[in-house]
Amino acid sequence: MTINAHTFISLLNLNNRVYFSSYAALFIFSSLIFFPVLLHLIIILYHSSYLKDYGLENLTTATQVQFQIKQSLTIQADDENTLCSKEDFKRLREFIDKYHYIGDVGRIQDGKMLCSVKQGILERPLELPSPDIISKEGTLFWNNQNKKDINDNTSPFFGRGNTVAFISSLYMKDFELYSHTSTSHFGGILYSSNENFVYKVFGDISLNTINHAKDLPDSILNYLPIPNRFIKRTFCDGITDTCILVINRKLGLYRLGYPALISLAILNLLIGALIVVLYGHYRSGPKLFIRQLKQAIKKDKITPEYQPKLQLFDKKIIGVEALARWNDPRLGQVPPDLFITSAEELGLINELSRKFILKVLDELHGQLENDSSFSVSINLSSEILTEPNFHLFLRDALERYNINVNQIILEITERTSSNNKSMSESSKHLSEEGYLISLDDFGTGFSNLEWLSTLEPYELKVDKMFTQSIEANTIQNYSLLGILKMIEYLDVVVVFEGIETEEQYQLFREKAPTAIGQGWYFYRSMPIEKLLAILEKSHSEKMKAA
């Protein structure tokens, strides 16, 4: 099934008009919300692997340090008289050479350090401060922050019995250097799981932030671009009971500088524009329209409205024309010429016409039964008019609603001259059964004198382009004068379509007082409820006048 170029262009114009607001909404959503959030999450996920590696690498190193510290504290002197002797120094020095995370090992007695491998025998024993923690096994721990007078460094140290071991300052410097440069805005704490004691705070983060993060539950909000959010990970070693909590305190887009953010903003706008183009390609054009049209026909979404037809001499409503209307939730108000032409080209017009006729008869059967002079005009295409079983369908529908055939006016508009013979035979057959045939849009296209003689219609509808030409000195105006002269000699009912002004009404009333008028000057098309209300009001006024 295909549609012609003219219909295709109309579809493009329709979609451009209908989807402008959805295009704008999609552009704003994709450029300012979806892609920034997506990019934010991608950056977070990218750095999450670094955060994991960062935590595990530091935990692995810390457990190795823990192991070497424990090993160093096993070097106890059995005899206090041998403390700091040559043999003792040799034994301690061999240990330092073996374990590279141990910076120095010494001897202590009565809370004082007597000697160490690096400093030798102290002239005056150095009194040690009170330990920051004493474990259940009796291991002493000094954090040694900002106490450079002890072994000339700030590295933590441990003690047990008569042995004291200092962590290598080189390890601590490498630890800090890695924390600050390799992973900016990362940081954490190294602590004992069983003693709940903090060994070391490291990285680009404060202790207050760490304490706050420890008690804060994980939340999906942490992954959204909201300021002051962070991601945390905890890793523990079950053998040494050592844990590490690492934190990324600047997430996603907040890690980027202004130049990067500006570049990404431009990129987001370009991506948003591309999405709109692709979306428009998918949502617009024939494919969408065809899908929606098929659904509308299947689900009876194409509904009738009614435009009254009035006698010109007294403005009495003597009937209506049923007009198809389609208000689609995605396409909006679709022009009838567009969807009817498309239905014809796609082979859907017969199904559409049958459902439309049944809907019209269902809504109007009460009015038609109560007023036998009232009629309804229904537009038909040549396809359904020449369908072999169409007259049977009409007969069954009228019998169902108890409607007379002479109250149904079948309006014929022919856009091609290829099936004149079939249409002539079909229209004559319907006329013989009592239906009234109307030649619509007379004077345009193929609706001309040839059709007038071929179809022998009951009614002739003069196209609105002639009706509205009375104020212009045009060919249409001269043609209208010829039509007015011609109808004086024709035995047909004449309907002037498109009457919109008082001047037009008065002219046709004067030239053709027995004719019928239709147009916005009288009434626009309306739903059945409004039509019935107008007819009821007109009937009441007539009864009062009588």
Side-chain angles (χ1 to χ4, degrees), residues 144-361:
N144 198 26
Q145 297 293 316
N146 302 321
K147 298 182 178 67
K148 292 188 177 182
D149 55 330
I150 301 176
N151 205 27
D152 197 26
N153 67 67
T154 59
S155 300
F157 58 98
F158 299 78
R160 182 190 298 163
N162 52 29
T163 304
V164 62
F166 293 84
I167 297 176
S168 171
S169 60
L170 181 62
Y171 157 71
M172 298 306 295
K173 289 179 181 179
D174 290 343
F175 194 85
E176 292 295 333
L177 181 64
Y178 175 76
S179 299
H180 283 288
T181 60
S182 177
T183 49
S184 178
H185 309 301
F186 282 9
I189 55 172
L190 185 67
Y191 62 97
S192 169
S193 60
N194 56 353
E195 302 289 349
N196 198 25
F197 182 79
V198 175
Y199 294 126
K200 181 68 177 176
V201 178
F202 57 89
D204 187 14
I205 200 165
S206 67
L207 184 59
N208 289 335
T209 301
I210 292 171
N211 290 333
H212 175 67
K214 285 177 64 177
D215 301 326
L216 202 64
D218 290 330
S219 171
I220 193 173
L221 294 177
N222 292 336
Y223 294 87
L224 298 178
I226 302 174
N228 301 321
R229 295 286 174 171
F230 49 80
I231 302 295
K232 63 179 181 179
R233 295 288 183 270
T234 301
F235 307 98
C236 291
D237 179 73
I239 298 176
T240 61
D241 293 324
T242 302
C243 291
I244 190 168
L245 170 67
V246 288
I247 299 171
N248 179 2
R249 70 178 182 87
K250 280 202 173 183
L251 303 177
L253 297 176
Y254 293 101
R255 298 182 65 88
L256 306 179
Y258 286 112
L261 289 175
I262 293 173
S263 299
L264 289 175
I266 296 174
L267 179 61
N268 282 337
L269 293 176
L270 294 175
I271 294 176
L274 177 61
I275 293 297
V276 167
V277 171
L278 296 176
Y279 173 80
H281 178 73
Y282 171 76
R283 290 289 301 268
S284 62
K287 290 185 178 179
L288 168 69
F289 184 84
I290 291 172
R291 289 197 304 269
Q292 294 298 101
L293 179 58
K294 287 181 177 179
Q295 287 296 314
I297 294 173
K298 181 180 180 181
K299 298 182 179 180
D300 292 327
K301 297 300 182 180
I302 297 177
T303 57
E305 287 192 357
Y306 305 94
Q307 188 172 38
K309 298 164 64 178
L310 299 85
Q311 297 176 150
L312 289 181
F313 70 89
D314 63 357
K315 292 186 179 180
K316 177 185 176 182
I317 300 175
I318 50 88
V320 292
E321 179 181 359
L323 302 170
R325 296 291 183 261
W326 179 23
N327 188 9
D328 185 80
R330 295 173 67 180
L331 298 173
Q333 192 71 43
V334 184
D337 288 347
L338 179 57
F339 71 78
I340 291 175
T341 302
S342 299
E344 290 176 344
E345 295 170 357
L346 296 169
L348 304 173
I349 192 64
N350 288 354
E351 181 182 1
L352 170 59
S353 299
R354 286 172 178 265
K355 290 193 172 187
F356 183 76
I357 290 171
L358 292 176
K359 184 69 172 178
V360 169
L361 297 181

Side-chain angles (χ1 to χ4, degrees), residues 253-465:
L253 297 176
Y254 293 101
R255 298 182 65 88
L256 306 179
Y258 286 112
L261 289 175
I262 293 173
S263 299
L264 289 175
I266 296 174
L267 179 61
N268 282 337
L269 293 176
L270 294 175
I271 294 176
L274 177 61
I275 293 297
V276 167
V277 171
L278 296 176
Y279 173 80
H281 178 73
Y282 171 76
R283 290 289 301 268
S284 62
K287 290 185 178 179
L288 168 69
F289 184 84
I290 291 172
R291 289 197 304 269
Q292 294 298 101
L293 179 58
K294 287 181 177 179
Q295 287 296 314
I297 294 173
K298 181 180 180 181
K299 298 182 179 180
D300 292 327
K301 297 300 182 180
I302 297 177
T303 57
E305 287 192 357
Y306 305 94
Q307 188 172 38
K309 298 164 64 178
L310 299 85
Q311 297 176 150
L312 289 181
F313 70 89
D314 63 357
K315 292 186 179 180
K316 177 185 176 182
I317 300 175
I318 50 88
V320 292
E321 179 181 359
L323 302 170
R325 296 291 183 261
W326 179 23
N327 188 9
D328 185 80
R330 295 173 67 180
L331 298 173
Q333 192 71 43
V334 184
D337 288 347
L338 179 57
F339 71 78
I340 291 175
T341 302
S342 299
E344 290 176 344
E345 295 170 357
L346 296 169
L348 304 173
I349 192 64
N350 288 354
E351 181 182 1
L352 170 59
S353 299
R354 286 172 178 265
K355 290 193 172 187
F356 183 76
I357 290 171
L358 292 176
K359 184 69 172 178
V360 169
L361 297 181
D362 181 66
E363 292 185 348
L364 276 180
H365 74 274
Q367 175 64 27
L368 293 169
E369 286 185 72
N370 294 333
D371 185 354
S372 60
S373 65
F374 195 85
S375 64
V376 56
S377 300
I378 302 173
N379 284 275
L380 297 179
S381 69
S382 60
E383 284 81 359
I384 192 166
L385 184 66
T386 56
E387 184 184 292
N389 297 323
F390 177 64
H391 68 286
L392 298 177
F393 162 77
L394 275 180
R395 182 188 303 168
D396 292 341
L398 295 184
E399 288 179 355
R400 182 191 312 175
Y401 291 104
N402 193 28
I403 298 172
N404 296 323
V405 293
N406 60 6
Q407 291 180 281
I408 306 299
I409 301 176
L410 303 177
E411 295 189 7
I412 301 172
T413 303
E414 181 52 24
R415 296 177 175 87
T416 174
S417 60
S418 61
N419 54 356
N420 288 5
K421 184 177 180 181
S422 298
M423 287 194 62
S424 177
E425 293 176 354
S426 298
S427 62
K428 286 181 179 180
H429 182 69
L430 290 170
S431 294
E432 290 172 356
E433 291 194 7
Y435 298 98
L436 306 180
I437 303 299
S438 174
L439 183 56
D440 196 14
D441 298 337
F442 180 73
T444 65
F446 295 97
S447 297
N448 50 33
L449 293 175
E450 180 184 354
W451 278 98
L452 185 60
S453 60
T454 301
L455 299 181
E456 299 179 0
Y458 158 82
E459 180 183 85
L460 187 69
K461 300 192 75 173
V462 180
D463 189 79
K464 65 181 180 180
M465 82 172 187

